[in-house]
C-alpha cells in the first residue's frame, strides 16, 4: 500500500478527510456541487433516478424494499462520471463507508475507481487506500479541451463524497447524463453488481457499456436478485431500451417457485412496459458443477424452471421476450475466482455473450 505524506493541517480539514493540494496546483470539482452540475443537471450517470448522492435506488425505496436490498443499493456499482478537460494531470479523491476489500475481491474492485479516455483506453495511475482514497493520473496525453473521460465508481462500496482535481488553469466540465437516450437496465445478483472484477471497468455491465456505447444501469444486488415485485417495480419504472433479468444464481427456492417467480416477473414488466424487450439469462453454471452433484442439480433446477416459464410466456403471446442460455454465456472453466463469481476472464465472457445478444435484439451495428 502506498503511503501519502501530508503537511500538518488544521483539525477541521483532517476531519473532512480531504487534504488540499498546495496552492496554485490543483483545482477541485465536486459533481454534486450546484456550480459543477449547472441548472439541475445530473452528472452521476448510470442510474435511473436523479438524486444527490452516489446510490442506485431513490430514497422512497427505503420503506418498500427489504433492508438487504436497500443497503446494497447504496453501493455505487455501475455509476460513472463523464467530464471534459485539457489537464494532463487528474486526481480523484473520495471517501467510502465500508471496508476496502473482501476475501475474494481486491480493494481495487470493491472500492476502487477506473478512468477511461474517450477512445475507450484505460488510463493507468497510482492509487492509495486510506481516508481519503486517492487515484492520481499524471502526464495524460489528451490535452485538447474536448478530451472526454469516463470515471467508473466503486462496485461494492458506498461513496460518501468525491472530487476530481485538475491542474490550475485547465478547462473542466462535467458531462450531464443524456436523458434522451434509453439505457440498458440490468437486474441481477452479485455477478451483475460486479463480483469479482479486479476493478470497476472490468465488471460485465461496464464492459457492455463501452462495447455498445449505450447508457447502462446496474441494479445488481449481491445475494438478493430474487425477482421480488417490490424491486421489479423500481426496475421497470426506468424507461429502458432493454431489460436484462439475470437472477438465476439467487434462486434458492424449489423449482415450482422459480417457475412462478419468472412468470410473475415478466408479467409485471409487461404491465408497466408492454413493448420493451426483455432478456432472461440462465445461470452461468457453478464452477464445480462437474465435481459436485448438489451444485450441478441446483443450477440445472433453476434453469429448467426458467426455460419452462419462458416457453409458457411465449405461448401466451408475450412479445419481445428473449433468452440467453448457459451455453451462450460460455463461462470458461477457469473463469471464476470461487464457485460462482467471475474473474476478469469470466467477466469478459459474460460481456461478450451479452454484447452479441444485445446487438441482435436492438439491431445495433
Amino acid at each position: 500500500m502506498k503511503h501519502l505524506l501530508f503537511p500538518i493541517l488544521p483539525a477541521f480539514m483532517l476531519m473532512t478527510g480531504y487534504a488540499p493540494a498546495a496552492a496554485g496546483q490543483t483545482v477541485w470539482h465536486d459533481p454534486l456541487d450546484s456550480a459543477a452540475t449547472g441548472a439541475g443537471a445530473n452528472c452521476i450517470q448510470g442510474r435511473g433516478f436523479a438524486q444527490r448522492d452516489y446510490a442506485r435506488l431513490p430514497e422512497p425505496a427505503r420503506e418498500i424494499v427489504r433492508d438487504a436490498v436497500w443497503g446494497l443499493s447504496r453501493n455505487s456499482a455501475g455509476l460513472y462520471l463523464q467530464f471534459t478537460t485539457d489537464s494532463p494531470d487528474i486526481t480523484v479523491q473520495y471517501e467510502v463507508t465500508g471496508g476496502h476489500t473482501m476475501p475474494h475481491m481486491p480493494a481495487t474492485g470493491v472500492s476502487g475507481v477506473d478512468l477511461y479516455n474517450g477512445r475507450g483506453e484505460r488510463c493507468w495511475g497510482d492509487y492509495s487506500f486510506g481516508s481519503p482514497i486517492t487515484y492520481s493520473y499524471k502526464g495524460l496525453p489528451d490535452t485538447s479541451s474536448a478530451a472526454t473521460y469516463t470515471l467508473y465508481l466503486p462496485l461494492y462500496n458506498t461513496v460518501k463524497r468525491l472530487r476530481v482535481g485538475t491542474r490550475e488553469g485547465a478547462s473542466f466540465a462535467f458531462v450531464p447524463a443524456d436523458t434522451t437516450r434509453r439505457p440498458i437496465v440490468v437486474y441481477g445478483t452479485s455477478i451483475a453488481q460486479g463480483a469479482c472484477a479486479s476493478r470497476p471497468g472490468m465488471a460485465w455491465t461496464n464492459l457492455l457499456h463501452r462495447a455498445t456505447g449505450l447508457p447502462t444501469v446496474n441494479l445488481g444486488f449481491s445475494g438478493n436478485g430474487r425477482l421480488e415485485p417490490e424491486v421489479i417495480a423500481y426496475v421497470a419504472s426506468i424507461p429502458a431500451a432493454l431489460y436484462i433479468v439475470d437472477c438465476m444464481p439467487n434462486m434458492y427456492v424449489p423449482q415450482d417457485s422459480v417457475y412462478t417467480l419468472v412468470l410473475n416477473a415478466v408479467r409485471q414488466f409487461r404491465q408497466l412496459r408492454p413493448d420493451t424487450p426483455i432478456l432472461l439469462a440462465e445461470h452461468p453454471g457453478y464452477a464445480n458443477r462437474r465435481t459436485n452433484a448438489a451444485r450441478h442439480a441446483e443450477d440445472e433446477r433453476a434453469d429448467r424452471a426458467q426455460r419452462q416459464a419462458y416457453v409458457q410466456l411465449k405461448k401466451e403471446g408475450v412479445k419481445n421476450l428473449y433468452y440467453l442460455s448457459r451455453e451462450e454465456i460460455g463461462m470458461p472453466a477457469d473463469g471464476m475466482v470461487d464457485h460462482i463469481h467471475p474473474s476478469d476472464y469470466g467477466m469478459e465472457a459474460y460481456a461478450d455473450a451479452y454484447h452479441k445478444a444485445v446487438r441482435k435484439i436492438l439491431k445495433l451495428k
Side-chain angles (χ1 to χ4, degrees), residues 30-63:
D30 182 345
L32 296 182
D33 181 73
S34 59
T37 58
N42 180 14
C43 294
I44 313 300
Q45 302 200 42
R47 65 181 175 189
F49 310 96
Q51 54 206 69
R52 290 185 57 79
D53 58 20
Y54 297 96
R56 296 179 292 152
L57 288 179
E59 184 63 30
R62 181 196 295 266
E63 304 301 323

Side-chain angles (χ1 to χ4, degrees), residues 101-106 110 196 337:
T101 188
M102 295 191 293
H104 60 335
M105 191 172 177
V110 172
C196 285
V337 302

Side-chain angles (χ1 to χ4, degrees), residues 180-196:
T180 66
R181 302 181 70 203
R182 293 198 169 193
I184 298 169
V185 177
V186 178
Y187 172 42
T189 68
S190 56
I191 301 172
Q193 185 169 342
C196 285

